[in-house]
Amino acid sequence: MYEVGFQEKKGVKMKFGKSEDTKVFALGGLGEVGKNMYCIMCGDELVITDAGMLMPEDDLMGVDYVIPDFSFLKKNESKIKALFITHGHEDHIGAIPFLLQMVNIPIIYAPNHAVGLIRKKLEDRNIQYKNLIVYNESTIVRFKKIKVEFFRNTHSIPDSHGICITTPDGIIVTTGDFKFDLTPIGPCSNIQKMAEIGSRGVTLLMSDSTNALNEGTSKSESKVDDALSEIFRKETGRIIIATFASNVYRLKHIVDNCRRNGRKIAIFGRSMENNIDISVKGGYITNKGIFVTPEEANRLPNDQVCLLCTGSQGEPLAAMSRIADGVHKQIKLQPDDIVIFSSSAIPGNGASIARTINKLYLKGVKVYTHTSLNDIHASGHGNEEELKWMLRIINPKYFAPFHGEYRMLKKHTDIAVMCDVPRENTFVLSNGEVLSIKKGIVKKDGFIQADDVYVDGNRIGDISNTVIKDRKLMASDGIIIVIANIDTKQKKLLGNPNITTRGFVLVNENEALLKDLENVSKEAINKLMTNNINFSDIKSEIINELSNFTYQKTGRKPIILPVIMDIKR
């Protein structure tokens, strides 16, 4: 028996008590595309699938990554048996270095390619971890109450798997990321094993919802190969390609096309270099001799060069963006260059991609993007019909969509109902919401803590919403710094306060306003120059008076930062 503590949330009173039911919940991945982390707890055994991160939106100023909240795992550390990784994409492995610094994870099971990526991440952060085990489709991991098995999926990265978890209360299947591609570049999904698992009687299916809003079936990766091959055959200038560094099968396309057309490849971007290196070591890319240094590429004829870059999402510091801006140290665009964006826009990145493409057009180069006329990208996630196939093959009694924004989760639920899952047996959940399974019956059972945690440099979790709010204010309205010297013995302000601003007004053109700020600050200080001088009270008074004054005069609310110095004379 064990104690489970469920926090109160959204006005719902939670219970604390003993339970042997199997609990299923997400620490990330629901209502968002990224930050995937799912937990299954049965008695004193807890297993985790994936530990991903999310790239911050533009409004999270200064935040490098968004990761799941590990508070529940820390409190229940003794129950954790293992972390299982479905595949090596950042939204499934990106939080592992942070997790290992905060929680004791006894062992991590991951497929071969993901292991290479995880090891590189840990090396970069100087984290020592020895219990990283490679699994394959035939691996079975048994604990006292839980059994874990794997089935192969087709995705845009090698060694992608779904996971089947058998508990005393029922069978839980989590698909991982998947599509059904009957002509893939890599191996096909193991439909036979999926069907065998489905025949056992699956209690709960948790399925990838990323492309639930897309009708029909997804494009085969072989179609992309055909489209890229045509471009390589007809173009004679340098070919510059931006694609997802983690899309190893796409990288394999490019390598094969370069080999067939007599081109050498130079790589730009650290993540691209890392993925190519791991793919070569793992045997996924075999033409190692085709890669050259940037210096060697610059000496070759244009029709013998392919430049492989990061920056398919218009990231400001990525190689493609710097090339488009004309500030890349090693690549300068030439009139006969051909630029290919072999990718689709991640939600929220459309504007930055468009800006980069416009800059490339202004440079006079030829640009290929993914359109109905150019099949130069295929998603690694299944569309509506493929989601139906998974539902029919697994044939679950209950269904909970995961990995997607709420509109995607809702649509996936509707798809499940079309496939004969009763509406009352479906659950559109939020992060932290708990499902309880007891003897094959699934129901909602409260909440646990599952907030977003911000990573800023080496700081994890101490970037609060207040800090983000202050950063937004400084970015939009600027900051005013008030420095005042006070003689506390004589209870006297020494001279006038010094006013410094950044991002508020142009100093040379607003001398009168700055003089007013000085006078308002002086009056606020003198108002509290009493027998018991309290610096905190003085600072609060300065902030209140200046905030009101600046808003009345300018309509803006800058950050006010008073600095009071006690001068002994």
mmCIF file with all atom_site columns, all heavy atoms in Angstrom, residues 87 89 153-158 160 177-179 221 244 246-251 377-381:
data_model
loop_
_atom_site.group_PDB
_atom_site.id
_atom_site.type_symbol
_atom_site.label_atom_id
_atom_site.label_alt_id
_atom_site.label_comp_id
_atom_site.label_asym_id
_atom_site.label_entity_id
_atom_site.label_seq_id
_atom_site.pdbx_PDB_ins_code
_atom_site.Cartn_x
_atom_site.Cartn_y
_atom_site.Cartn_z
_atom_site.occupancy
_atom_site.B_iso_or_equiv
_atom_site.pdbx_formal_charge
_atom_site.auth_seq_id
_atom_site.auth_comp_id
_atom_site.auth_asym_id
_atom_site.auth_atom_id
_atom_site.pdbx_PDB_model_num
ATOM 1   N N   . HIS A 1 87  ? 11.479 7.655  -28.866 1.00 0.00 ? 87  HIS A N   1
ATOM 2   C CA  . HIS A 1 87  ? 12.371 8.002  -29.974 1.00 0.00 ? 87  HIS A CA  1
ATOM 3   C C   . HIS A 1 87  ? 13.152 9.261  -29.614 1.00 0.00 ? 87  HIS A C   1
ATOM 4   O O   . HIS A 1 87  ? 12.932 9.835  -28.542 1.00 0.00 ? 87  HIS A O   1
ATOM 5   C CB  . HIS A 1 87  ? 11.591 8.199  -31.274 1.00 0.00 ? 87  HIS A CB  1
ATOM 6   C CG  . HIS A 1 87  ? 10.648 9.350  -31.265 1.00 0.00 ? 87  HIS A CG  1
ATOM 7   N ND1 . HIS A 1 87  ? 9.432  9.321  -30.618 1.00 0.00 ? 87  HIS A ND1 1
ATOM 8   C CD2 . HIS A 1 87  ? 10.735 10.596 -31.806 1.00 0.00 ? 87  HIS A CD2 1
ATOM 9   C CE1 . HIS A 1 87  ? 8.809  10.470 -30.769 1.00 0.00 ? 87  HIS A CE1 1
ATOM 10  N NE2 . HIS A 1 87  ? 9.579  11.271 -31.484 1.00 0.00 ? 87  HIS A NE2 1
ATOM 11  N N   . HIS A 1 89  ? 13.515 12.506 -30.716 1.00 0.00 ? 89  HIS A N   1
ATOM 12  C CA  . HIS A 1 89  ? 13.225 13.910 -30.975 1.00 0.00 ? 89  HIS A CA  1
ATOM 13  C C   . HIS A 1 89  ? 13.278 14.724 -29.683 1.00 0.00 ? 89  HIS A C   1
ATOM 14  O O   . HIS A 1 89  ? 13.005 14.213 -28.593 1.00 0.00 ? 89  HIS A O   1
ATOM 15  C CB  . HIS A 1 89  ? 11.854 14.057 -31.632 1.00 0.00 ? 89  HIS A CB  1
ATOM 16  C CG  . HIS A 1 89  ? 11.885 13.857 -33.114 1.00 0.00 ? 89  HIS A CG  1
ATOM 17  N ND1 . HIS A 1 89  ? 10.827 13.349 -33.836 1.00 0.00 ? 89  HIS A ND1 1
ATOM 18  C CD2 . HIS A 1 89  ? 12.869 14.090 -34.031 1.00 0.00 ? 89  HIS A CD2 1
ATOM 19  C CE1 . HIS A 1 89  ? 11.150 13.282 -35.123 1.00 0.00 ? 89  HIS A CE1 1
ATOM 20  N NE2 . HIS A 1 89  ? 12.386 13.727 -35.256 1.00 0.00 ? 89  HIS A NE2 1
ATOM 21  N N   . ASN A 1 153 ? 7.446  1.679  -34.984 1.00 0.00 ? 153 ASN A N   1
ATOM 22  C CA  . ASN A 1 153 ? 6.646  2.654  -35.706 1.00 0.00 ? 153 ASN A CA  1
ATOM 23  C C   . ASN A 1 153 ? 7.436  3.241  -36.861 1.00 0.00 ? 153 ASN A C   1
ATOM 24  O O   . ASN A 1 153 ? 8.668  3.234  -36.850 1.00 0.00 ? 153 ASN A O   1
ATOM 25  C CB  . ASN A 1 153 ? 6.245  3.820  -34.785 1.00 0.00 ? 153 ASN A CB  1
ATOM 26  C CG  . ASN A 1 153 ? 5.017  3.511  -33.967 1.00 0.00 ? 153 ASN A CG  1
ATOM 27  O OD1 . ASN A 1 153 ? 4.184  2.708  -34.367 1.00 0.00 ? 153 ASN A OD1 1
ATOM 28  N ND2 . ASN A 1 153 ? 4.902  4.149  -32.818 1.00 0.00 ? 153 ASN A ND2 1
ATOM 29  N N   . THR A 1 154 ? 6.731  3.775  -37.834 1.00 0.00 ? 154 THR A N   1
ATOM 30  C CA  . THR A 1 154 ? 7.364  4.606  -38.857 1.00 0.00 ? 154 THR A CA  1
ATOM 31  C C   . THR A 1 154 ? 7.228  6.063  -38.424 1.00 0.00 ? 154 THR A C   1
ATOM 32  O O   . THR A 1 154 ? 6.150  6.534  -38.089 1.00 0.00 ? 154 THR A O   1
ATOM 33  C CB  . THR A 1 154 ? 6.686  4.415  -40.220 1.00 0.00 ? 154 THR A CB  1
ATOM 34  O OG1 . THR A 1 154 ? 6.808  3.047  -40.617 1.00 0.00 ? 154 THR A OG1 1
ATOM 35  C CG2 . THR A 1 154 ? 7.335  5.301  -41.276 1.00 0.00 ? 154 THR A CG2 1
ATOM 36  N N   . HIS A 1 155 ? 8.356  6.763  -38.433 1.00 0.00 ? 155 HIS A N   1
ATOM 37  C CA  . HIS A 1 155 ? 8.372  8.173  -38.070 1.00 0.00 ? 155 HIS A CA  1
ATOM 38  C C   . HIS A 1 155 ? 9.513  8.827  -38.842 1.00 0.00 ? 155 HIS A C   1
ATOM 39  O O   . HIS A 1 155 ? 10.178 8.163  -39.648 1.00 0.00 ? 155 HIS A O   1
ATOM 40  C CB  . HIS A 1 155 ? 8.530  8.310  -36.549 1.00 0.00 ? 155 HIS A CB  1
ATOM 41  C CG  . HIS A 1 155 ? 8.327  9.688  -36.011 1.00 0.00 ? 155 HIS A CG  1
ATOM 42  N ND1 . HIS A 1 155 ? 7.339  10.541 -36.473 1.00 0.00 ? 155 HIS A ND1 1
ATOM 43  C CD2 . HIS A 1 155 ? 9.006  10.395 -35.045 1.00 0.00 ? 155 HIS A CD2 1
ATOM 44  C CE1 . HIS A 1 155 ? 7.404  11.673 -35.810 1.00 0.00 ? 155 HIS A CE1 1
ATOM 45  N NE2 . HIS A 1 155 ? 8.407  11.621 -34.954 1.00 0.00 ? 155 HIS A NE2 1
ATOM 46  N N   . SER A 1 156 ? 9.782  10.095 -38.604 1.00 0.00 ? 156 SER A N   1
ATOM 47  C CA  . SER A 1 156 ? 10.810 10.810 -39.351 1.00 0.00 ? 156 SER A CA  1
ATOM 48  C C   . SER A 1 156 ? 12.197 10.651 -38.749 1.00 0.00 ? 156 SER A C   1
ATOM 49  O O   . SER A 1 156 ? 13.136 11.329 -39.162 1.00 0.00 ? 156 SER A O   1
ATOM 50  C CB  . SER A 1 156 ? 10.449 12.306 -39.427 1.00 0.00 ? 156 SER A CB  1
ATOM 51  O OG  . SER A 1 156 ? 10.277 12.834 -38.126 1.00 0.00 ? 156 SER A OG  1
ATOM 52  N N   . ILE A 1 157 ? 12.324 9.778  -37.780 1.00 0.00 ? 157 ILE A N   1
ATOM 53  C CA  . ILE A 1 157 ? 13.610 9.523  -37.135 1.00 0.00 ? 157 ILE A CA  1
ATOM 54  C C   . ILE A 1 157 ? 13.728 8.008  -36.945 1.00 0.00 ? 157 ILE A C   1
ATOM 55  O O   . ILE A 1 157 ? 12.714 7.327  -36.735 1.00 0.00 ? 157 ILE A O   1
ATOM 56  C CB  . ILE A 1 157 ? 13.682 10.264 -35.775 1.00 0.00 ? 157 ILE A CB  1
ATOM 57  C CG1 . ILE A 1 157 ? 15.096 10.287 -35.214 1.00 0.00 ? 157 ILE A CG1 1
ATOM 58  C CG2 . ILE A 1 157 ? 12.718 9.662  -34.762 1.00 0.00 ? 157 ILE A CG2 1
ATOM 59  C CD1 . ILE A 1 157 ? 15.260 11.211 -34.011 1.00 0.00 ? 157 ILE A CD1 1
ATOM 60  N N   . PRO A 1 158 ? 14.920 7.436  -37.058 1.00 0.00 ? 158 PRO A N   1
ATOM 61  C CA  . PRO A 1 158 ? 15.057 5.981  -36.901 1.00 0.00 ? 158 PRO A CA  1
ATOM 62  C C   . PRO A 1 158 ? 14.684 5.512  -35.499 1.00 0.00 ? 158 PRO A C   1
ATOM 63  O O   . PRO A 1 158 ? 14.717 6.269  -34.534 1.00 0.00 ? 158 PRO A O   1
ATOM 64  C CB  . PRO A 1 158 ? 16.549 5.749  -37.175 1.00 0.00 ? 158 PRO A CB  1
ATOM 65  C CG  . PRO A 1 158 ? 17.010 6.934  -37.933 1.00 0.00 ? 158 PRO A CG  1
ATOM 66  C CD  . PRO A 1 158 ? 16.185 8.086  -37.437 1.00 0.00 ? 158 PRO A CD  1
ATOM 67  N N   . SER A 1 160 ? 11.926 4.485  -33.987 1.00 0.00 ? 160 SER A N   1
ATOM 68  C CA  . SER A 1 160 ? 10.770 5.030  -33.275 1.00 0.00 ? 160 SER A CA  1
ATOM 69  C C   . SER A 1 160 ? 9.858  3.875  -32.858 1.00 0.00 ? 160 SER A C   1
ATOM 70  O O   . SER A 1 160 ? 9.603  2.966  -33.644 1.00 0.00 ? 160 SER A O   1
ATOM 71  C CB  . SER A 1 160 ? 10.012 6.003  -34.175 1.00 0.00 ? 160 SER A CB  1
ATOM 72  O OG  . SER A 1 160 ? 8.951  6.604  -33.476 1.00 0.00 ? 160 SER A OG  1
ATOM 73  N N   . ASP A 1 177 ? 5.168  8.780  -31.465 1.00 0.00 ? 177 ASP A N   1
ATOM 74  C CA  . ASP A 1 177 ? 4.864  9.477  -32.716 1.00 0.00 ? 177 ASP A CA  1
ATOM 75  C C   . ASP A 1 177 ? 4.861  8.459  -33.848 1.00 0.00 ? 177 ASP A C   1
ATOM 76  O O   . ASP A 1 177 ? 5.774  7.628  -33.943 1.00 0.00 ? 177 ASP A O   1
ATOM 77  C CB  . ASP A 1 177 ? 5.916  10.549 -33.000 1.00 0.00 ? 177 ASP A CB  1
ATOM 78  C CG  . ASP A 1 177 ? 5.867  11.687 -31.993 1.00 0.00 ? 177 ASP A CG  1
ATOM 79  O OD1 . ASP A 1 177 ? 5.032  11.624 -31.084 1.00 0.00 ? 177 ASP A OD1 1
ATOM 80  O OD2 . ASP A 1 177 ? 6.666  12.625 -32.123 1.00 0.00 ? 177 ASP A OD2 1
ATOM 81  N N   . PHE A 1 178 ? 3.866  8.549  -34.739 1.00 0.00 ? 178 PHE A N   1
ATOM 82  C CA  . PHE A 1 178 ? 3.783  7.512  -35.772 1.00 0.00 ? 178 PHE A CA  1
ATOM 83  C C   . PHE A 1 178 ? 3.057  8.016  -37.007 1.00 0.00 ? 178 PHE A C   1
ATOM 84  O O   . PHE A 1 178 ? 2.326  9.002  -36.992 1.00 0.00 ? 178 PHE A O   1
ATOM 85  C CB  . PHE A 1 178 ? 3.046  6.280  -35.235 1.00 0.00 ? 178 PHE A CB  1
ATOM 86  C CG  . PHE A 1 178 ? 1.548  6.462  -35.152 1.00 0.00 ? 178 PHE A CG  1
ATOM 87  C CD1 . PHE A 1 178 ? 0.725  6.060  -36.199 1.00 0.00 ? 178 PHE A CD1 1
ATOM 88  C CD2 . PHE A 1 178 ? 0.958  7.060  -34.048 1.00 0.00 ? 178 PHE A CD2 1
ATOM 89  C CE1 . PHE A 1 178 ? -0.658 6.229  -36.133 1.00 0.00 ? 178 PHE A CE1 1
ATOM 90  C CE2 . PHE A 1 178 ? -0.415 7.243  -33.975 1.00 0.00 ? 178 PHE A CE2 1
ATOM 91  C CZ  . PHE A 1 178 ? -1.226 6.828  -35.021 1.00 0.00 ? 178 PHE A CZ  1
ATOM 92  N N   . LYS A 1 179 ? 3.283  7.304  -38.102 1.00 0.00 ? 179 LYS A N   1
ATOM 93  C CA  . LYS A 1 179 ? 2.486  7.398  -39.325 1.00 0.00 ? 179 LYS A CA  1
ATOM 94  C C   . LYS A 1 179 ? 2.489  6.001  -39.935 1.00 0.00 ? 179 LYS A C   1
ATOM 95  O O   . LYS A 1 179 ? 3.299  5.147  -39.542 1.00 0.00 ? 179 LYS A O   1
ATOM 96  C CB  . LYS A 1 179 ? 3.066  8.424  -40.296 1.00 0.00 ? 179 LYS A CB  1
ATOM 97  C CG  . LYS A 1 179 ? 4.430  8.050  -40.852 1.00 0.00 ? 179 LYS A CG  1
ATOM 98  C CD  . LYS A 1 179 ? 5.050  9.143  -41.702 1.00 0.00 ? 179 LYS A CD  1
ATOM 99  C CE  . LYS A 1 179 ? 4.327  9.335  -43.001 1.00 0.00 ? 179 LYS A CE  1
ATOM 100 N NZ  . LYS A 1 179 ? 5.023  10.312 -43.889 1.00 0.00 ? 179 LYS A NZ  1
ATOM 101 N N   . GLU A 1 221 ? 7.278  9.252  -47.467 1.00 0.00 ? 221 GLU A N   1
ATOM 102 C CA  . GLU A 1 221 ? 8.621  9.835  -47.539 1.00 0.00 ? 221 GLU A CA  1
ATOM 103 C C   . GLU A 1 221 ? 9.271  9.567  -48.895 1.00 0.00 ? 221 GLU A C   1
ATOM 104 O O   . GLU A 1 221 ? 10.117 10.345 -49.356 1.00 0.00 ? 221 GLU A O   1
ATOM 105 C CB  . GLU A 1 221 ? 9.492  9.265  -46.406 1.00 0.00 ? 221 GLU A CB  1
ATOM 106 C CG  . GLU A 1 221 ? 10.822 9.953  -46.220 1.00 0.00 ? 221 GLU A CG  1
ATOM 107 C CD  . GLU A 1 221 ? 10.710 11.379 -45.706 1.00 0.00 ? 221 GLU A CD  1
ATOM 108 O OE1 . GLU A 1 221 ? 9.702  11.724 -45.069 1.00 0.00 ? 221 GLU A OE1 1
ATOM 109 O OE2 . GLU A 1 221 ? 11.654 12.167 -45.953 1.00 0.00 ? 221 GLU A OE2 1
ATOM 110 N N   . PHE A 1 244 ? 14.896 19.818 -40.927 1.00 0.00 ? 244 PHE A N   1
ATOM 111 C CA  . PHE A 1 244 ? 15.020 19.465 -39.515 1.00 0.00 ? 244 PHE A CA  1
ATOM 112 C C   . PHE A 1 244 ? 16.259 18.589 -39.323 1.00 0.00 ? 244 PHE A C   1
ATOM 113 O O   . PHE A 1 244 ? 16.391 17.546 -39.975 1.00 0.00 ? 244 PHE A O   1
ATOM 114 C CB  . PHE A 1 244 ? 13.786 18.712 -39.033 1.00 0.00 ? 244 PHE A CB  1
ATOM 115 C CG  . PHE A 1 244 ? 12.522 19.528 -39.055 1.00 0.00 ? 244 PHE A CG  1
ATOM 116 C CD1 . PHE A 1 244 ? 11.472 19.185 -39.892 1.00 0.00 ? 244 PHE A CD1 1
ATOM 117 C CD2 . PHE A 1 244 ? 12.379 20.646 -38.253 1.00 0.00 ? 244 PHE A CD2 1
ATOM 118 C CE1 . PHE A 1 244 ? 10.305 19.924 -39.918 1.00 0.00 ? 244 PHE A CE1 1
ATOM 119 C CE2 . PHE A 1 244 ? 11.219 21.395 -38.267 1.00 0.00 ? 244 PHE A CE2 1
ATOM 120 C CZ  . PHE A 1 244 ? 10.183 21.037 -39.105 1.00 0.00 ? 244 PHE A CZ  1
ATOM 121 N N   . SER A 1 246 ? 16.926 16.640 -37.029 1.00 0.00 ? 246 SER A N   1
ATOM 122 C CA  . SER A 1 246 ? 16.574 15.337 -36.460 1.00 0.00 ? 246 SER A CA  1
ATOM 123 C C   . SER A 1 246 ? 15.913 14.402 -37.465 1.00 0.00 ? 246 SER A C   1
ATOM 124 O O   . SER A 1 246 ? 15.701 13.223 -37.167 1.00 0.00 ? 246 SER A O   1
ATOM 125 C CB  . SER A 1 246 ? 15.633 15.541 -35.269 1.00 0.00 ? 246 SER A CB  1
ATOM 126 O OG  . SER A 1 246 ? 14.445 16.190 -35.691 1.00 0.00 ? 246 SER A OG  1
ATOM 127 N N   . ASN A 1 247 ? 15.580 14.909 -38.662 1.00 0.00 ? 247 ASN A N   1
ATOM 128 C CA  . ASN A 1 247 ? 14.905 14.070 -39.663 1.00 0.00 ? 247 ASN A CA  1
ATOM 129 C C   . ASN A 1 247 ? 15.956 13.273 -40.411 1.00 0.00 ? 247 ASN A C   1
ATOM 130 O O   . ASN A 1 247 ? 16.369 13.615 -41.526 1.00 0.00 ? 247 ASN A O   1
ATOM 131 C CB  . ASN A 1 247 ? 14.080 14.942 -40.614 1.00 0.00 ? 247 ASN A CB  1
ATOM 132 C CG  . ASN A 1 247 ? 13.116 14.125 -41.454 1.00 0.00 ? 247 ASN A CG  1
ATOM 133 O OD1 . ASN A 1 247 ? 13.331 12.929 -41.689 1.00 0.00 ? 247 ASN A OD1 1
ATOM 134 N ND2 . ASN A 1 247 ? 12.058 14.756 -41.922 1.00 0.00 ? 247 ASN A ND2 1
ATOM 135 N N   . VAL A 1 248 ? 16.390 12.182 -39.816 1.00 0.00 ? 248 VAL A N   1
ATOM 136 C CA  . VAL A 1 248 ? 17.514 11.412 -40.344 1.00 0.00 ? 248 VAL A CA  1
ATOM 137 C C   . VAL A 1 248 ? 17.198 10.816 -41.718 1.00 0.00 ? 248 VAL A C   1
ATOM 138 O O   . VAL A 1 248 ? 18.070 10.765 -42.594 1.00 0.00 ? 248 VAL A O   1
ATOM 139 C CB  . VAL A 1 248 ? 17.916 10.306 -39.347 1.00 0.00 ? 248 VAL A CB  1
ATOM 140 C CG1 . VAL A 1 248 ? 19.004 9.414  -39.933 1.00 0.00 ? 248 VAL A CG1 1
ATOM 141 C CG2 . VAL A 1 248 ? 18.398 10.935 -38.048 1.00 0.00 ? 248 VAL A CG2 1
ATOM 142 N N   . TYR A 1 249 ? 15.970 10.388 -41.925 1.00 0.00 ? 249 TYR A N   1
ATOM 143 C CA  . TYR A 1 249 ? 15.626 9.826  -43.230 1.00 0.00 ? 249 TYR A CA  1
ATOM 144 C C   . TYR A 1 249 ? 15.695 10.894 -44.325 1.00 0.00 ? 249 TYR A C   1
ATOM 145 O O   . TYR A 1 249 ? 16.084 10.608 -45.457 1.00 0.00 ? 249 TYR A O   1
ATOM 146 C CB  . TYR A 1 249 ? 14.245 9.180  -43.183 1.00 0.00 ? 249 TYR A CB  1
ATOM 147 C CG  . TYR A 1 249 ? 14.212 7.948  -42.310 1.00 0.00 ? 249 TYR A CG  1
ATOM 148 C CD1 . TYR A 1 249 ? 13.252 7.803  -41.312 1.00 0.00 ? 249 TYR A CD1 1
ATOM 149 C CD2 . TYR A 1 249 ? 15.161 6.944  -42.455 1.00 0.00 ? 249 TYR A CD2 1
ATOM 150 C CE1 . TYR A 1 249 ? 13.232 6.692  -40.494 1.00 0.00 ? 249 TYR A CE1 1
ATOM 151 C CE2 . TYR A 1 249 ? 15.148 5.825  -41.640 1.00 0.00 ? 249 TYR A CE2 1
ATOM 152 C CZ  . TYR A 1 249 ? 14.184 5.700  -40.662 1.00 0.00 ? 249 TYR A CZ  1
ATOM 153 O OH  . TYR A 1 249 ? 14.172 4.588  -39.856 1.00 0.00 ? 249 TYR A OH  1
ATOM 154 N N   . ARG A 1 250 ? 15.340 12.144 -44.001 1.00 0.00 ? 250 ARG A N   1
ATOM 155 C CA  . ARG A 1 250 ? 15.482 13.226 -44.968 1.00 0.00 ? 250 ARG A CA  1
ATOM 156 C C   . ARG A 1 250 ? 16.960 13.484 -45.255 1.00 0.00 ? 250 ARG A C   1
ATOM 157 O O   . ARG A 1 250 ? 17.352 13.705 -46.404 1.00 0.00 ? 250 ARG A O   1
ATOM 158 C CB  . ARG A 1 250 ? 14.815 14.489 -44.419 1.00 0.00 ? 250 ARG A CB  1
ATOM 159 C CG  . ARG A 1 250 ? 14.714 15.635 -45.400 1.00 0.00 ? 250 ARG A CG  1
ATOM 160 C CD  . ARG A 1 250 ? 13.714 15.360 -46.523 1.00 0.00 ? 250 ARG A CD  1
ATOM 161 N NE  . ARG A 1 250 ? 12.500 14.786 -46.019 1.00 0.00 ? 250 ARG A NE  1
ATOM 162 C CZ  . ARG A 1 250 ? 11.522 15.446 -45.381 1.00 0.00 ? 250 ARG A CZ  1
ATOM 163 N NH1 . ARG A 1 250 ? 11.640 16.755 -45.200 1.00 0.00 ? 250 ARG A NH1 1
ATOM 164 N NH2 . ARG A 1 250 ? 10.428 14.826 -44.964 1.00 0.00 ? 250 ARG A NH2 1
ATOM 165 N N   . LEU A 1 251 ? 17.770 13.454 -44.207 1.00 0.00 ? 251 LEU A N   1
ATOM 166 C CA  . LEU A 1 251 ? 19.210 13.622 -44.404 1.00 0.00 ? 251 LEU A CA  1
ATOM 167 C C   . LEU A 1 251 ? 19.770 12.505 -45.279 1.00 0.00 ? 251 LEU A C   1
ATOM 168 O O   . LEU A 1 251 ? 20.646 12.738 -46.118 1.00 0.00 ? 251 LEU A O   1
ATOM 169 C CB  . LEU A 1 251 ? 19.930 13.647 -43.053 1.00 0.00 ? 251 LEU A CB  1
ATOM 170 C CG  . LEU A 1 251 ? 19.478 14.719 -42.053 1.00 0.00 ? 251 LEU A CG  1
ATOM 171 C CD1 . LEU A 1 251 ? 20.310 14.653 -40.782 1.00 0.00 ? 251 LEU A CD1 1
ATOM 172 C CD2 . LEU A 1 251 ? 19.554 16.104 -42.665 1.00 0.00 ? 251 LEU A CD2 1
ATOM 173 N N   . HIS A 1 377 ? 8.564  17.882 -48.685 1.00 0.00 ? 377 HIS A N   1
ATOM 174 C CA  . HIS A 1 377 ? 8.481  17.577 -47.258 1.00 0.00 ? 377 HIS A CA  1
ATOM 175 C C   . HIS A 1 377 ? 7.317  16.628 -47.015 1.00 0.00 ? 377 HIS A C   1
ATOM 176 O O   . HIS A 1 377 ? 6.277  16.717 -47.671 1.00 0.00 ? 377 HIS A O   1
ATOM 177 C CB  . HIS A 1 377 ? 8.289  18.836 -46.413 1.00 0.00 ? 377 HIS A CB  1
ATOM 178 C CG  . HIS A 1 377 ? 8.129  18.536 -44.949 1.00 0.00 ? 377 HIS A CG  1
ATOM 179 N ND1 . HIS A 1 377 ? 9.160  18.037 -44.179 1.00 0.00 ? 377 HIS A ND1 1
ATOM 180 C CD2 . HIS A 1 377 ? 7.060  18.634 -44.112 1.00 0.00 ? 377 HIS A CD2 1
ATOM 181 C CE1 . HIS A 1 377 ? 8.737  17.855 -42.946 1.00 0.00 ? 377 HIS A CE1 1
ATOM 182 N NE2 . HIS A 1 377 ? 7.467  18.210 -42.874 1.00 0.00 ? 377 HIS A NE2 1
ATOM 183 N N   . ALA A 1 378 ? 7.505  15.716 -46.081 1.00 0.00 ? 378 ALA A N   1
ATOM 184 C CA  . ALA A 1 378 ? 6.421  14.841 -45.623 1.00 0.00 ? 378 ALA A CA  1
ATOM 185 C C   . ALA A 1 378 ? 6.468  14.796 -44.100 1.00 0.00 ? 378 ALA A C   1
ATOM 186 O O   . ALA A 1 378 ? 7.539  14.670 -43.509 1.00 0.00 ? 378 ALA A O   1
ATOM 187 C CB  . ALA A 1 378 ? 6.572  13.432 -46.201 1.00 0.00 ? 378 ALA A CB  1
ATOM 188 N N   . SER A 1 379 ? 5.321  14.907 -43.485 1.00 0.00 ? 379 SER A N   1
ATOM 189 C CA  . SER A 1 379 ? 5.248  14.879 -42.029 1.00 0.00 ? 379 SER A CA  1
ATOM 190 C C   . SER A 1 379 ? 5.560  13.481 -41.508 1.00 0.00 ? 379 SER A C   1
ATOM 191 O O   . SER A 1 379 ? 5.304  12.473 -42.169 1.00 0.00 ? 379 SER A O   1
ATOM 192 C CB  . SER A 1 379 ? 3.852  15.306 -41.568 1.00 0.00 ? 379 SER A CB  1
ATOM 193 O OG  . SER A 1 379 ? 3.725  15.162 -40.169 1.00 0.00 ? 379 SER A OG  1
ATOM 194 N N   . GLY A 1 380 ? 6.092  13.430 -40.300 1.00 0.00 ? 380 GLY A N   1
ATOM 195 C CA  . GLY A 1 380 ? 6.329  12.146 -39.644 1.00 0.00 ? 380 GLY A CA  1
ATOM 196 C C   . GLY A 1 380 ? 5.148  11.685 -38.819 1.00 0.00 ? 380 GLY A C   1
ATOM 197 O O   . GLY A 1 380 ? 5.224  10.644 -38.157 1.00 0.00 ? 380 GLY A O   1
ATOM 198 N N   . HIS A 1 381 ? 4.045  12.446 -38.851 1.00 0.00 ? 381 HIS A N   1
ATOM 199 C CA  . HIS A 1 381 ? 2.862  12.106 -38.058 1.00 0.00 ? 381 HIS A CA  1
ATOM 200 C C   . HIS A 1 381 ? 1.709  11.721 -38.976 1.00 0.00 ? 381 HIS A C   1
ATOM 201 O O   . HIS A 1 381 ? 1.540  12.284 -40.058 1.00 0.00 ? 381 HIS A O   1
ATOM 202 C CB  . HIS A 1 381 ? 2.439  13.295 -37.191 1.00 0.00 ? 381 HIS A CB  1
ATOM 203 C CG  . HIS A 1 381 ? 3.504  13.764 -36.252 1.00 0.00 ? 381 HIS A CG  1
ATOM 204 N ND1 . HIS A 1 381 ? 3.638  13.274 -34.969 1.00 0.00 ? 381 HIS A ND1 1
ATOM 205 C CD2 . HIS A 1 381 ? 4.516  14.667 -36.415 1.00 0.00 ? 381 HIS A CD2 1
ATOM 206 C CE1 . HIS A 1 381 ? 4.667  13.864 -34.383 1.00 0.00 ? 381 HIS A CE1 1
ATOM 207 N NE2 . HIS A 1 381 ? 5.207  14.716 -35.240 1.00 0.00 ? 381 HIS A NE2 1
#
